[in-house]
Amino acid sequence: MTNQNEPIHTAFTQLMGIKYPIIGAPMFLVSNEDMVIEVSNAGGLGTFPALNFRPTDRYADAIKKIKKSSDKPIGVNIIVNKSNRRQSQDLKIALDNGVDLFVTSLGNPKTVIEEAHKIGAKVICDVTNLEHAKKVEDLGADGVVAVSAGAGGHAGPTNPFVLIPWLKKELHIPIIAAGGVAHGSALLAALALGASAVHVGTRFIASTEASIPIEYKNAIIDATPDDIILTPRITGTPATYINNEYLKSLSKDLPFAVKWLKENPRTKKYIVPLVHYMGYKIFEKAISSPHKAPVWSAGQSSGLVNEILPCKEIIDRLVTEFWEAKNNV
Ligand SMILES: Cc1cc2nc3c(=O)[nH]c(=O)nc-3n(C[C@H](O)[C@H](O)[C@H](O)COP(=O)(O)O)c2cc1C
């Protein structure tokens, strides 16, 4: 027996008014309007990085397009460190257009939390450890995205079986588990560990709606967990990629001079955003010309992804697998 149509109630679904505790996680250069619409309409909550749409006019148009096709909650990811010059403008546009949730990453989310709360929008913040989680809770965050080892993108260092209970013991706000969720049994496990939702990235890269090269989707399907490497080589911060001949041809670490400038207190603040920016350009180049320099950002859950599916079907399967796992415990 499956309970497919039953909602899965958690503190997060209650907070956001959604049916299933599944966030379609924001992914640089991957998340698009159709993915957000389909995930939210299927009962999850679709999100995208504001910086996926450039210039700003395209970003405002994207939110309007999504809002036209879905009356369900949606979210925008804003990078809140100094390298992002668009952050206050992006925040204002989102608030003016009724965005319900903000996912902040890489900096201090204070302004986003204050502004979002003025109109009742919610804010969840990427964290990888307890210290940062407590800081954002003190700032008034509505939840934390606990980014664990093996996650797609800038993965944290800690195993989710440890990270979630560690945060749960100390925090009073919902925890959203990020990293490794490509099957509904992982949703059940995350909830059992104390999370109130999951943040799913890699699984949605191999979706019908993702407008990325087929080579990228196929690399996800072909990869096993053994193929995923964690390297600072691209953005300067350790991130996960599918290993391939191109990545093997690069040095394992940043060039010595760049590392030195990155660690020097006087140059750090200029070099860190610059290396990030250059990394993003490398990823952009891979997306536009996949044969020359394939750099495919993806987490260990690639090893569980075997086919390209529409976003709605991905959500439906996660829910079916969740109930199957729950009924079999
Ligand atoms: C290709 C890719 C791009 C990502 N870009 C962002 C981003 O721009 N902002 C962000 O907060 N997280 C980003 N992430 C992390 C995801 O939002 C999410 O936390 C992560 O993918 C969850 O782990 P999973 O991939 O194992 O499901 C990215 C992940 C991937 C795979």
Side-chain angles (χ1 to χ4, degrees):
M1 186 189 85
T2 70
N3 321 42
Q4 180 67 49
N5 278 319
E6 261 182 54
I8 302 171
H9 296 292
T10 69
F12 186 75
T13 59
Q14 208 174 339
L15 180 75
M16 298 310 306
I18 55 174
K19 192 170 177 188
Y20 303 127
I22 303 170
I23 298 177
M27 291 185 282
F28 185 61
L29 300 184
V30 176
S31 312
N32 62 23
E33 300 100 315
D34 291 339
M35 293 167 74
V36 176
I37 293 165
E38 291 304 311
V39 169
S40 286
N41 283 345
L45 198 155
T47 69
F48 68 96
L51 294 175
N52 275 12
F53 296 96
R54 282 160 281 163
T56 311
D57 290 354
R58 285 203 55 227
Y59 161 68
D61 289 346
I63 300 178
K64 287 184 184 126
K65 176 180 166 189
I66 295 166
K67 283 283 172 188
K68 232 185 229 170
S69 303
S70 178
D71 58 358
K72 304 283 190 237
I74 62 155
V76 163
N77 170 231
I78 298 190
I79 290 179
V80 286
N81 70 11
K82 289 198 183 86
S83 72
N84 182 8
R85 302 245 166 94
R86 267 177 48 171
Q87 54 184 294
S88 39
Q89 200 183 2
D90 286 348
L91 175 62
K92 185 173 181 324
I93 290 170
L95 291 170
D96 288 348
N97 286 283
V99 167
D100 313 83
L101 178 72
F102 292 89
V103 183
T104 67
S105 44
L106 296 176
N108 186 332
K110 187 168 181 277
T111 308
V112 177
I113 294 171
E114 286 172 359
E115 294 303 312
H117 283 180
K118 282 183 191 163
I119 62 149
K122 308 297 179 203
V123 184
I124 57 176
C125 309
D126 278 0
V127 302
T128 55
N129 61 33
L130 182 59
E131 189 191 350
H132 194 192
K134 279 188 153 176
K135 265 190 200 151
V136 301
E137 183 179 57
D138 289 345
L139 289 172
D142 299 286
V144 293
V145 179
V147 186
S148 63
H154 293 129
T158 307
N159 183 303
F161 276 94
V162 175
L163 181 63
I164 301 164
W166 183 35
L167 301 184
K168 179 72 182 173
K169 199 161 161 259
E170 300 283 339
L171 301 183
H172 305 96
I173 52 178
I175 295 164
I176 294 101
V181 179
H183 190 276
S185 55
L187 167 58
L188 180 66
L191 300 191
L193 290 168
S196 299
V198 290
H199 206 233
V200 181
T202 297
R203 171 58 273 203
F204 286 106
I205 299 174
S207 67
T208 317
E209 291 85 355
S211 39
I212 50 169
I214 188 67
E215 288 86 347
Y216 190 1
K217 297 185 189 184
N218 286 339
I220 300 267
I221 289 167
D222 294 341
T224 74
D226 282 346
D227 294 316
I228 307 303
I229 54 162
L230 182 73
T231 173
R233 182 64 183 80
I234 308 295
T235 66
T237 305
T240 45
Y241 301 90
I242 301 174
N243 208 3
N244 58 21
E245 291 311 313
Y246 176 69
L247 285 179
K248 283 180 201 161
S249 74
L250 303 177
S251 60
K252 283 213 163 48
D253 209 338
L254 295 168
F256 178 77
V258 177
K259 258 183 98 175
W260 187 83
L261 290 167
K262 201 173 155 258
E263 276 150 29
N264 183 320
R266 287 169 62 189
T267 45
K268 191 176 165 178
K269 65 171 183 263
Y270 306 107
I271 291 298
V272 170
L274 182 67
V275 177
H276 257 255
Y277 175 77
M278 283 159 58
Y280 290 149
K281 284 280 157 203
I282 293 175
F283 191 37
E284 221 164 42
K285 198 169 149 207
I287 297 262
S288 59
S289 51
H291 300 291
K292 281 195 198 138
V295 175
W296 305 137
S297 169
Q300 291 176 352
S301 68
S302 302
L304 303 176
V305 177
N306 303 315
E307 52 186 321
I308 299 168
L309 294 172
C311 290
K312 179 177 173 0
E313 174 125 20
I314 293 172
I315 297 277
D316 287 349
R317 285 198 189 188
L318 286 170
V319 172
T320 305
E321 291 156 358
F322 167 87
W323 289 116
E324 280 169 6
K326 194 166 194 307
N327 292 336
N328 285 329
V329 168

